[in-house]
Amino acid sequence: MNTAVTLLTEQVPQKVELLGQLNRQMIAILDFGSQYSELIARRIRETQVYSEVLSYRTTAEQLRQLNPKGIILSGGPKSVYDNGAPRCDPEIWNMGLPILGVCYGMQLMVQQLGGEVAKAERGEYGKASLYIDDPTDLFTNVEDGTTMWMSHADSVTHMPEGFELLAHTENTPCAAIAHHNKKLYGVQFHPEVVHSLGGIALIRNFVYHICECESTWTTAAFVEEAIREIRAKVGDKRVLLALSGGVDSSTLAFLLHKAIGDQLTCVFIDQGFMRKYEPERLLKLFHEQFHIPVEYVNARERFLSALSGITDPEEKRRIIGHEFISAFEETSKRLGPFDYLAQGTLYPDVIESADTNVDPQTGERVAVKIKSHHNVGGLPKNLRFKLVEPLRKLFKDEVRKVGRAIGLPEEIVQRHPFPGPGLAIRIIGEITAERLNILRDADLIVRQEINQRGLYHDYWQAFAVLLPVRSVGVMGDQRTYAYPIVLRIVTSEDGMTADWARVPYDVLEVISNRIVNEVKNVNRVVYDITSKPPGTIEWE
């Protein structure tokens, strides 16, 4: 891949070669547009078995090249009887592999194999008690009456020939079915979500007992594989790394340095959107503690000028991505030549940036693009560098495990995620030097108070957002008209979903008082209590 970054779901032929060589033990997930598809992948990886989300259009022949041990069909927003509803290659049913259909995936299995699906008299959403009729195979060690998470308006009304009932709920007669001889299974609920109390046991049964997988997806195995892959791809060429100081780029720097040593050149482009004191801390840490040289480029005025008057968040990201690449190209001419650009792109970045699964017949999208990520969404199609993205397969928690395994200090491993565009997407509307200074000061107070109380590791992210509006206040018996600061503090496992943190009131009180008293041009602090979904963690 030596030009623009393309979608994972459009890369099946290329990824067939890679995964077929390096990951014999794997579960393939065909994505029909479910918001939980990536969560299925994460749950499987927690069993130390590799998994990857692929387009529902992946053919049986392409799957044979991947050589998976089993296949999972995800849920999706459509009904199987809708015109243009996504369908998988019918030859998949003849591959002789274990297949688990989840929600829409189960209904598609039923329909394509001769059964019937219809709109249910009563839909079922949220928690439901599952009553197990067959406690073997898929439901081994799953407690009868356990809670599972439902989200469906359709139900199976007639099972295909050879299928048997495994479980039911009060509203859903066919909550789980199976063709034991062909190892075809379907569940109407979502075992991958945390609300499904017996979900992990069910997934482990499918992965280990039915697919007969082995625990080959380990941190040590990934590090060894990644180093081999980097060396094979890069050869004796030089690599330029976009270093930000976060866990992703720092882990990437350590990994690349282990693989290719002095062939790596780390460059820190200071775009002016970092948090207070972070550029200085980053350079000192890498030079004095890690002994990895970093080339510092001050590009603050350049980025601020390019974003003058820009308010649209997608346009901000596009401009920032473009300026990053331009800055790297200029730096590469000065320090180079370089053949490769290394990026800390993660799996959620790829998924959230994807215009995934556009139906070739109807042109409809099965899944919706949420937002562009700096690492994957703002790159021009004439990108001169070839890309090296060793972390592209990993979720954030997996990156942290890799960081620890290769010797990254805990202060970086446990650092909260920070977006590539930095504070530029935490200022709603136009970016100005004044607004950046206000947000830096407010954000520093948030981090100081969370750290001092030992709460930092309790939260996935804790930060401030500046709104481009003003409100009336009273300070020192005088009327003020100043900016509000939004506090955004969330809990999450991997950033795919998140909940607002129940921060103690006294902590919020101290943060609010300090911001209003210490940060100029701020007279109000509010707390964001929106989960993801429906909101995103970042405001832009």
PDB file of all heavy atoms in Angstrom, residues 418-434:
ATOM      1  N   PHE A 418      -5.225  10.842  23.208  1.00  0.00           N
ATOM      2  CA  PHE A 418      -5.239  12.241  22.791  1.00  0.00           C
ATOM      3  C   PHE A 418      -5.326  12.267  21.271  1.00  0.00           C
ATOM      4  O   PHE A 418      -4.529  11.623  20.593  1.00  0.00           O
ATOM      5  CB  PHE A 418      -3.967  12.946  23.271  1.00  0.00           C
ATOM      6  CG  PHE A 418      -3.980  14.437  23.074  1.00  0.00           C
ATOM      7  CD1 PHE A 418      -4.879  15.233  23.770  1.00  0.00           C
ATOM      8  CD2 PHE A 418      -3.088  15.045  22.210  1.00  0.00           C
ATOM      9  CE1 PHE A 418      -4.889  16.609  23.599  1.00  0.00           C
ATOM     10  CE2 PHE A 418      -3.080  16.417  22.033  1.00  0.00           C
ATOM     11  CZ  PHE A 418      -3.988  17.208  22.728  1.00  0.00           C
ATOM     12  N   PRO A 419      -6.290  12.982  20.707  1.00  0.00           N
ATOM     13  CA  PRO A 419      -6.498  12.919  19.251  1.00  0.00           C
ATOM     14  C   PRO A 419      -5.356  13.543  18.467  1.00  0.00           C
ATOM     15  O   PRO A 419      -4.692  14.480  18.945  1.00  0.00           O
ATOM     16  CB  PRO A 419      -7.792  13.712  19.060  1.00  0.00           C
ATOM     17  CG  PRO A 419      -7.840  14.657  20.227  1.00  0.00           C
ATOM     18  CD  PRO A 419      -7.234  13.896  21.375  1.00  0.00           C
ATOM     19  N   GLY A 420      -5.106  13.049  17.266  1.00  0.00           N
ATOM     20  CA  GLY A 420      -4.060  13.595  16.411  1.00  0.00           C
ATOM     21  C   GLY A 420      -4.182  15.089  16.193  1.00  0.00           C
ATOM     22  O   GLY A 420      -3.182  15.813  16.294  1.00  0.00           O
ATOM     23  N   PRO A 421      -5.392  15.610  15.906  1.00  0.00           N
ATOM     24  CA  PRO A 421      -5.532  17.062  15.728  1.00  0.00           C
ATOM     25  C   PRO A 421      -5.445  17.847  17.028  1.00  0.00           C
ATOM     26  O   PRO A 421      -5.505  19.074  17.016  1.00  0.00           O
ATOM     27  CB  PRO A 421      -6.941  17.202  15.121  1.00  0.00           C
ATOM     28  CG  PRO A 421      -7.282  15.853  14.603  1.00  0.00           C
ATOM     29  CD  PRO A 421      -6.594  14.888  15.508  1.00  0.00           C
ATOM     30  N   GLY A 422      -5.346  17.139  18.159  1.00  0.00           N
ATOM     31  CA  GLY A 422      -5.145  17.783  19.434  1.00  0.00           C
ATOM     32  C   GLY A 422      -6.256  18.732  19.836  1.00  0.00           C
ATOM     33  O   GLY A 422      -7.444  18.473  19.609  1.00  0.00           O
ATOM     34  N   LEU A 423      -5.873  19.866  20.407  1.00  0.00           N
ATOM     35  CA  LEU A 423      -6.845  20.827  20.916  1.00  0.00           C
ATOM     36  C   LEU A 423      -7.650  21.488  19.809  1.00  0.00           C
ATOM     37  O   LEU A 423      -8.665  22.131  20.084  1.00  0.00           O
ATOM     38  CB  LEU A 423      -6.130  21.900  21.745  1.00  0.00           C
ATOM     39  CG  LEU A 423      -5.352  21.406  22.966  1.00  0.00           C
ATOM     40  CD1 LEU A 423      -4.744  22.581  23.717  1.00  0.00           C
ATOM     41  CD2 LEU A 423      -6.228  20.583  23.888  1.00  0.00           C
ATOM     42  N   ALA A 424      -7.233  21.322  18.572  1.00  0.00           N
ATOM     43  CA  ALA A 424      -7.961  21.923  17.454  1.00  0.00           C
ATOM     44  C   ALA A 424      -9.378  21.392  17.349  1.00  0.00           C
ATOM     45  O   ALA A 424     -10.268  22.085  16.847  1.00  0.00           O
ATOM     46  CB  ALA A 424      -7.218  21.669  16.137  1.00  0.00           C
ATOM     47  N   ILE A 425      -9.615  20.146  17.806  1.00  0.00           N
ATOM     48  CA  ILE A 425     -10.974  19.602  17.754  1.00  0.00           C
ATOM     49  C   ILE A 425     -11.626  19.613  19.130  1.00  0.00           C
ATOM     50  O   ILE A 425     -12.679  19.019  19.327  1.00  0.00           O
ATOM     51  CB  ILE A 425     -11.000  18.188  17.142  1.00  0.00           C
ATOM     52  CG1 ILE A 425     -10.145  17.211  17.955  1.00  0.00           C
ATOM     53  CG2 ILE A 425     -10.557  18.223  15.686  1.00  0.00           C
ATOM     54  CD1 ILE A 425     -10.351  15.775  17.573  1.00  0.00           C
ATOM     55  N   ARG A 426     -10.979  20.304  20.085  1.00  0.00           N
ATOM     56  CA  ARG A 426     -11.607  20.534  21.386  1.00  0.00           C
ATOM     57  C   ARG A 426     -11.977  22.012  21.547  1.00  0.00           C
ATOM     58  O   ARG A 426     -12.429  22.424  22.600  1.00  0.00           O
ATOM     59  CB  ARG A 426     -10.683  20.062  22.513  1.00  0.00           C
ATOM     60  CG  ARG A 426     -10.547  18.547  22.528  1.00  0.00           C
ATOM     61  CD  ARG A 426      -9.633  18.037  23.619  1.00  0.00           C
ATOM     62  NE  ARG A 426      -9.587  16.575  23.592  1.00  0.00           N
ATOM     63  CZ  ARG A 426      -8.785  15.838  24.349  1.00  0.00           C
ATOM     64  NH1 ARG A 426      -7.964  16.428  25.212  1.00  0.00           N
ATOM     65  NH2 ARG A 426      -8.794  14.516  24.267  1.00  0.00           N
ATOM     66  N   ILE A 427     -11.725  22.767  20.489  1.00  0.00           N
ATOM     67  CA  ILE A 427     -12.244  24.126  20.380  1.00  0.00           C
ATOM     68  C   ILE A 427     -13.296  24.085  19.288  1.00  0.00           C
ATOM     69  O   ILE A 427     -12.988  23.848  18.121  1.00  0.00           O
ATOM     70  CB  ILE A 427     -11.136  25.127  20.012  1.00  0.00           C
ATOM     71  CG1 ILE A 427     -10.098  25.215  21.133  1.00  0.00           C
ATOM     72  CG2 ILE A 427     -11.733  26.506  19.723  1.00  0.00           C
ATOM     73  CD1 ILE A 427      -8.902  26.070  20.792  1.00  0.00           C
ATOM     74  N   ILE A 428     -14.532  24.285  19.659  1.00  0.00           N
ATOM     75  CA  ILE A 428     -15.607  24.241  18.674  1.00  0.00           C
ATOM     76  C   ILE A 428     -15.586  25.552  17.897  1.00  0.00           C
ATOM     77  O   ILE A 428     -15.547  26.639  18.478  1.00  0.00           O
ATOM     78  CB  ILE A 428     -16.979  24.042  19.354  1.00  0.00           C
ATOM     79  CG1 ILE A 428     -16.909  22.855  20.326  1.00  0.00           C
ATOM     80  CG2 ILE A 428     -18.065  23.812  18.311  1.00  0.00           C
ATOM     81  CD1 ILE A 428     -16.444  21.559  19.725  1.00  0.00           C
ATOM     82  N   GLY A 429     -15.615  25.439  16.570  1.00  0.00           N
ATOM     83  CA  GLY A 429     -15.552  26.638  15.741  1.00  0.00           C
ATOM     84  C   GLY A 429     -14.123  26.997  15.382  1.00  0.00           C
ATOM     85  O   GLY A 429     -13.239  26.142  15.325  1.00  0.00           O
ATOM     86  N   GLU A 430     -13.898  28.274  15.145  1.00  0.00           N
ATOM     87  CA  GLU A 430     -12.596  28.735  14.654  1.00  0.00           C
ATOM     88  C   GLU A 430     -11.507  28.614  15.722  1.00  0.00           C
ATOM     89  O   GLU A 430     -11.741  28.847  16.907  1.00  0.00           O
ATOM     90  CB  GLU A 430     -12.698  30.185  14.198  1.00  0.00           C
ATOM     91  CG  GLU A 430     -11.412  30.715  13.580  1.00  0.00           C
ATOM     92  CD  GLU A 430     -11.514  32.159  13.118  1.00  0.00           C
ATOM     93  OE1 GLU A 430     -12.563  32.787  13.376  1.00  0.00           O
ATOM     94  OE2 GLU A 430     -10.554  32.646  12.494  1.00  0.00           O
ATOM     95  N   ILE A 431     -10.295  28.264  15.282  1.00  0.00           N
ATOM     96  CA  ILE A 431      -9.141  28.151  16.155  1.00  0.00           C
ATOM     97  C   ILE A 431      -8.398  29.483  16.155  1.00  0.00           C
ATOM     98  O   ILE A 431      -8.031  29.994  15.097  1.00  0.00           O
ATOM     99  CB  ILE A 431      -8.177  27.042  15.685  1.00  0.00           C
ATOM    100  CG1 ILE A 431      -8.925  25.748  15.393  1.00  0.00           C
ATOM    101  CG2 ILE A 431      -7.070  26.820  16.709  1.00  0.00           C
ATOM    102  CD1 ILE A 431      -9.655  25.181  16.558  1.00  0.00           C
ATOM    103  N   THR A 432      -8.188  30.041  17.331  1.00  0.00           N
ATOM    104  CA  THR A 432      -7.393  31.260  17.461  1.00  0.00           C
ATOM    105  C   THR A 432      -6.356  31.054  18.559  1.00  0.00           C
ATOM    106  O   THR A 432      -6.492  30.165  19.409  1.00  0.00           O
ATOM    107  CB  THR A 432      -8.260  32.480  17.819  1.00  0.00           C
ATOM    108  OG1 THR A 432      -8.792  32.300  19.145  1.00  0.00           O
ATOM    109  CG2 THR A 432      -9.398  32.660  16.820  1.00  0.00           C
ATOM    110  N   ALA A 433      -5.318  31.899  18.548  1.00  0.00           N
ATOM    111  CA  ALA A 433      -4.282  31.795  19.571  1.00  0.00           C
ATOM    112  C   ALA A 433      -4.868  32.031  20.958  1.00  0.00           C
ATOM    113  O   ALA A 433      -4.499  31.352  21.931  1.00  0.00           O
ATOM    114  CB  ALA A 433      -3.170  32.799  19.283  1.00  0.00           C
ATOM    115  N   GLU A 434      -5.805  32.981  21.077  1.00  0.00           N
ATOM    116  CA  GLU A 434      -6.418  33.265  22.371  1.00  0.00           C
ATOM    117  C   GLU A 434      -7.183  32.049  22.888  1.00  0.00           C
ATOM    118  O   GLU A 434      -7.054  31.664  24.053  1.00  0.00           O
ATOM    119  CB  GLU A 434      -7.370  34.453  22.256  1.00  0.00           C
ATOM    120  CG  GLU A 434      -8.074  34.780  23.573  1.00  0.00           C
ATOM    121  CD  GLU A 434      -9.327  35.627  23.405  1.00  0.00           C
ATOM    122  OE1 GLU A 434      -9.993  35.500  22.356  1.00  0.00           O
ATOM    123  OE2 GLU A 434      -9.637  36.386  24.335  1.00  0.00           O
TER     124      GLU A 434
END
